[in-house]
Every structure is written in C-alpha cells, then in structure tokens.
Amino acid sequence: MTTNTVLSWTTTLGWHDFWRGAMGQWIITRGLRVVMLLIAAVLAVRFVTWVAEQVTRHLDVGFAESDALVRSEATKHRQAVASVIQWVSIVIIAIWVVLQIADVLQFSVGGLVAPATVVGAALGFGAQQLVRDLLSGFFIIVEKQYGFGDLVELTISGSTTDARGTVENVTLRVTRLRSSNGEVFTVPNGQIVKVNNLSKDWARAVVDIPVSTAADLNRVNEVLHQECEHAMDNPVLGELLLDAPTLMGVESIEVDTVTLRMVARTLPGKQFEAGRQLRVLVIRALARAGIVTAADAKVGLVEDPAVPAAQAAEERAGDEPTAAVRRR
C-alpha cells in the first residue's frame, strides 16, 4: 500500500468519524437549519424591500405620466403607508427568525422570564421616547396629517426653530424633510408638537402690493381687478391657480405707503411660485397704467424704459441728488 493511499484512507476515516461525532451531528441536525433560517430571513427582507421599491416606483411613474402638477393626497398617503409596512415587516421577520433559531437550539425562553422582567423594566425608562415616537408616527400615518411630497412646517419640542421642508420619508419613528436649501432634517415623531401642512388639498398665495399714498386708489383698484379677472388666461398662472385671484383691499396704511392685498387659491405647494408670477403681473400692470408703487420708487423693480412709470421712477431717482445739493 502506497503512502498516498494510506493518507487518503486516513483522511476518509477522519471525516467519517467527524460527521458521526457530536459536532458533525449538531451541524447536520441544527446548524444547517440555522443557516437556512438566516438565508430565508435575508431573502424575505430583500423581497419586502423590492416590493416597497416597486410600489414607490409605480407611484412615481404614475405621477410623472399624469398631467397633474402635484401629487394627490391618496398617492402621498399610499407612499407613506408603503414605507411603514416595509419597516414593520422587516422587524417582524427579524423577531420570527430569532424565535425560530431559539427553538432549533432548544434554548429555553421560560428561564429568561425573570431576568427579562428586570431588564425590561430598566430599559422601559430609557425606551419611553422610542415608544412615544412609534405611537406618534402611527397616528401621523393613520390620521393622514402629511405624506410624501408635502411641504410642512414642524414645531419641535425643546427647539427654538421650526423644521420646514418637503417630506422625503415618513416612518413610524422619524420624519425626514429636505429644506429649500438642500438641508435634510430628521425629526423624531415624538418630538413633533405642531404640524403646519402647507400643501394639504390646496394652498393660498398672498401678495401684498405697496402703493404710494399719492396714487389714485380707485385707479389702482381698477387695474388690479382687471388683472385678477385675466389671471386665469395666463399660460403659467392658469396651471397653478384653482380660481381667479381676489383683491381684498387695503391691508395697512403707513406714512407714505398704502398696502393692498391680493389672495389666490393654488395647487398644493404651488403658492410661492404663483405668488411670484402674480407679483410680476401686478408690477407690469401698474407700470403700464403709469402708477409708481412704493417698491418701484425704492428699488426700481420696473426696468423697461418704454414704460411711463419706469421713466418717472428713473427721473425721480436722478433728480434726488440734485435736490439734495440744492437743499445744502
């Protein structure tokens, strides 16, 4: 018998004895089951994550293919619910796998009741905030206070500043916002004291128009009413407004300025864009009518030299240094 044959026979007997031994039997009977449970858990988590991503992608594609400028309330809520279901499903899978592995290993859970009670009481004081976050997140989702894509302003307990931005994600524990500057705020749901939803169903654009006290208010009101009547005909504003703007009248009176207010109902979250467009229309309309607003006189908002109001503002600005020299 050659040396290689002897070594091969010895190795075969060694492996045969190993698998018939206690360690080999434990790997065959329990170890493989534990490994299979872990693999099944990983596959289940990946499947849940894939389903949630498909739902989110389907909602995004449906919104992109539609003619709507903003997401519907149902779409926002469905996306938030999908995120919560994904998070809860992963937690349930993890708990189930831990219990199954304990059963395979014949680990007695009953013997841990007394120690678990003590540990649970100790952790309970530290986990109060976590439980509070989960309960608050549950009611946020159920009551549809806000959803994915909403523009919200959150008042946070113990904070001097509010968190304002677009909702990027909502879970049972936290809400993630992105501000207009690109900053990301992660706010625990339990610390939210008040929610100001700026894009729920509809929004309102408020435009304040400062006019000099020397201007003819009847003429100003006439011009602004005409702009309100024709605002829906504007190709940009027509897509943002739900109805024609309304001129509320004089809002405040100062020494040399009278401020008029115009309001308009807009699509959710579009009040700022609509407000900017309305200001442009108002400035142009007043300039065409030869009415110089307080803003024109101070910062020269009208820059078209063909407009009479712009010429008057420029001449006035050019005469101010001369008048100052004369007063000296």
Side-chain angles (χ1 to χ4, degrees):
M1 186 178 296
T2 63
T3 304
N4 293 335
T5 305
V6 172
L7 291 175
S8 177
W9 179 71
T10 304
T11 303
T12 303
L13 288 178
W15 278 110
H16 181 72
D17 294 338
F18 173 79
W19 290 114
R20 295 185 60 181
M23 181 61 70
Q25 290 297 316
W26 185 90
I27 293 176
I28 294 174
T29 57
R30 299 181 185 178
L32 289 179
R33 292 180 61 186
V34 171
V35 173
M36 294 300 294
L37 285 172
L38 293 176
I39 294 175
V42 172
L43 293 177
V45 169
R46 292 179 65 89
F47 175 74
V48 170
T49 304
W50 178 81
V51 171
E53 291 177 353
Q54 292 299 315
V55 171
T56 303
R57 186 177 295 109
H58 177 71
L59 294 175
D60 291 338
V61 171
F63 169 69
E65 293 179 351
S66 66
D67 295 331
L69 296 179
V70 296
R71 297 175 185 268
S72 65
E73 296 298 324
T75 302
K76 297 175 185 177
H77 183 66
R78 291 192 191 111
Q79 198 146 353
V81 170
S83 176
V84 171
I85 291 177
Q86 175 188 1
W87 187 81
V88 173
S89 300
I90 292 175
V91 172
I92 293 175
I93 292 172
I95 295 175
W96 177 79
V97 169
V98 170
L99 293 177
Q100 291 297 318
I101 291 177
D103 182 64
V104 170
L105 300 178
Q106 296 181 354
F107 188 77
S108 178
V109 181
L112 296 177
V113 172
T117 303
V118 178
V119 175
L123 293 178
F125 294 100
Q128 290 180 2
Q129 184 61 46
L130 177 61
V131 175
R132 184 179 178 183
D133 293 342
L134 297 178
L135 289 177
S136 299
F138 172 78
F139 286 111
I140 287 173
I141 300 299
V142 172
E143 296 173 358
K144 301 181 181 180
Q145 297 181 15
Y146 53 82
F148 179 84
D150 274 335
L151 179 62
V152 299
E153 185 175 357
L154 305 179
T155 301
I156 305 173
S157 175
S159 177
T160 57
T161 59
D162 296 339
R164 181 174 180 175
T166 304
V167 178
E168 285 196 340
N169 193 17
V170 182
T171 66
L172 287 180
R173 196 183 72 84
V174 298
T175 296
R176 190 168 69 239
L177 308 178
R178 184 174 295 276
S179 68
S180 57
N181 297 327
E183 302 169 336
V184 176
F185 299 101
T186 301
V187 183
N189 294 328
Q191 296 183 9
I192 299 175
V193 178
K194 183 178 69 174
V195 177
N196 185 14
N197 194 332
L198 304 177
S199 58
K200 183 73 172 179
D201 297 329
W202 57 273
R204 174 170 287 167
V206 179
V207 178
D208 288 335
I209 307 162
V211 180
S212 174
T213 53
D216 184 0
L217 291 183
N218 292 329
R219 177 58 177 162
V220 173
N221 285 328
E222 181 183 351
V223 172
L224 294 181
H225 277 298
Q226 292 177 358
E227 289 302 314
C228 291
E229 294 175 357
H230 297 91
M232 297 295 293
D233 298 333
N234 186 281
V236 178
L237 273 176
E239 298 292 333
L240 304 177
L241 299 179
L242 296 178
D243 46 33
T246 302
L247 183 63
M248 305 300 293
V250 177
E251 179 66 20
S252 63
I253 301 176
E254 298 179 3
V255 176
D256 56 352
T257 304
V258 176
T259 302
L260 294 88
R261 172 163 293 184
M262 181 186 295
V263 298
R265 286 202 317 146
T266 71
L267 292 173
K270 298 297 182 180
Q271 63 269 36
F272 305 108
E273 183 177 355
R276 287 190 290 268
Q277 295 294 330
L278 281 174
R279 291 183 183 93
V280 172
L281 292 182
V282 167
I283 290 297
R284 291 177 177 175
L286 294 178
R288 286 194 300 268
I291 301 171
V292 180
T293 66
D296 293 334
K298 293 179 181 179
V299 298
L301 290 179
V302 180
E303 300 178 356
D304 188 357
V307 179
Q311 293 177 350
E314 291 178 357
E315 292 175 359
R316 184 179 303 175
D319 292 342
E320 285 179 357
T322 306
V325 172
R326 291 176 180 175
R327 285 196 297 269
R328 291 179 184 177

